[in-house]
């Protein structure tokens, strides 16, 4: 997804832009900020007072303002290794596909270590209220899909080797070939690829 985010935008921008420039510009619609925020990245700044590491959650202060002191420069971005089995997904909405600034974007990092699940969300192009609304909407869709797929009434469709959702038809059918869906797996019925 991070490569996908970097592959968006105008050809001239893709040919000359840098990750650091994208972050320091602090545009609320920057394509790389949401996935890096979801991944827990940090900015490494250096200046007259030495080096410091700033989590991206605290790096962005306001519209086109970042937490760099006078004389400081962004030297690197530290991106931690994602947890084993995690998935990063990015969505962006723009008027034109490749050569336009995103109106809004959302990055989601899902990880399932052991029996628990963790989701980190980051949105671009939204204020605090819109961010909360976006998260509530996304989680509502996720809960709805999980309830649909994880129902005891899901059935198996042999010809496509896939799961028929509980509410795929107007009436709930009698089911004899039960399907057990694991939304956090790599198999049929997983959350990100369904």
């Amino acid at each position: 997804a991070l490569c996908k985010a970097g592959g968006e935008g105008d050809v001239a921008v893709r040919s000359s832009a840098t990750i650091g420039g994208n972050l320091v510009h602090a545009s609320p619609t920057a394509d790389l900020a949401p996935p890096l925020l979801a991944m827990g990245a940090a900015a490494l700044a250096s200046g007259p007072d030495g080096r410091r590491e700033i989590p991206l959650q605290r790096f962005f202060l306001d519209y086109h303002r970042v937490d760099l002191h006078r004389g400081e420069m962004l030297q690197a971005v530290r991106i931690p290794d994602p947890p084993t089995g995690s998935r990063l997904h990015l969505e962006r909405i723009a008027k034109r596909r490749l050569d336009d600034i995103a109106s809004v974007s959302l990055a989601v990092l899902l990880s399932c270590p052991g029996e628990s699940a963790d989701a980190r969300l980051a949105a671009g192009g939204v204020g605090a209220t819109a961010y909360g609304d976006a998260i509530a909407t996304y989680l509502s869709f996720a809960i709805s899909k999980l309830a649909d797929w994880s129902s005891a009434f899901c059935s198996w469709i042999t010809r496509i080797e896939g799961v028929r959702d509980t509410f795929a038809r107007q009436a709930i059918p009698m089911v004899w070939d039960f399907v057990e869906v694991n939304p956090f797996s790599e198999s049929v019925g997983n959350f990100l690829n369904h």
Side-chain angles (χ1 to χ4, degrees), residues 127-193:
T129 302
Y131 178 71
D133 290 345
I135 290 175
T137 301
Y138 189 83
L139 290 175
S140 297
F141 283 132
I143 290 168
S144 175
K145 284 186 175 185
L146 286 175
D148 192 19
W149 298 338
S150 301
S151 163
F153 294 107
C154 286
S155 60
W156 185 253
I157 305 172
T158 307
R159 70 178 186 282
I160 66 166
E161 293 187 2
V163 178
R164 177 180 291 122
D165 300 354
T166 301
F167 302 106
R169 297 182 175 176
Q170 291 181 354
I172 297 176
M174 290 182 68
V175 178
W176 303 106
D177 53 348
F178 296 105
V179 177
E180 190 171 309
V181 175
N182 181 352
F184 303 110
S185 69
E186 298 281 333
S187 65
V188 172
N190 74 53
F191 183 73
L192 294 177
N193 293 327

Side-chain angles (χ1 to χ4, degrees), residues 29-194:
T29 57
D31 286 330
L32 294 178
L36 289 172
L37 280 163
M39 293 167 62
L44 304 174
S46 63
D49 297 330
R51 293 180 55 137
R52 64 189 181 113
E53 183 172 320
I54 313 153
L56 282 188
Q57 295 93 311
R58 293 197 326 257
F59 183 71
F60 299 109
L61 300 176
D62 203 351
Y63 181 73
H64 293 292
R65 286 190 46 224
V66 294
D67 184 16
L68 287 177
H69 301 156
R70 184 176 295 279
E72 274 189 328
M73 178 173 44
L74 179 64
Q75 192 170 45
V77 177
R78 186 185 57 75
I79 305 170
D81 290 331
T84 304
S86 63
R87 296 284 185 99
L88 179 66
H89 184 73
L90 175 67
E91 291 294 332
R92 69 189 297 273
I93 298 171
K95 291 181 183 174
R96 295 178 300 260
R97 174 141 167 74
L98 291 177
D99 61 346
D100 202 359
I101 295 172
S103 301
V104 66
S105 58
L106 179 69
V108 180
L109 179 69
L110 288 174
S111 57
C112 307
E115 294 184 15
S116 64
D118 183 40
R120 293 187 57 146
L121 298 120
V126 298
T129 302
Y131 178 71
D133 290 345
I135 290 175
T137 301
Y138 189 83
L139 290 175
S140 297
F141 283 132
I143 290 168
S144 175
K145 284 186 175 185
L146 286 175
D148 192 19
W149 298 338
S150 301
S151 163
F153 294 107
C154 286
S155 60
W156 185 253
I157 305 172
T158 307
R159 70 178 186 282
I160 66 166
E161 293 187 2
V163 178
R164 177 180 291 122
D165 300 354
T166 301
F167 302 106
R169 297 182 175 176
Q170 291 181 354
I172 297 176
M174 290 182 68
V175 178
W176 303 106
D177 53 348
F178 296 105
V179 177
E180 190 171 309
V181 175
N182 181 352
F184 303 110
S185 69
E186 298 281 333
S187 65
V188 172
N190 74 53
F191 183 73
L192 294 177
N193 293 327
H194 186 59

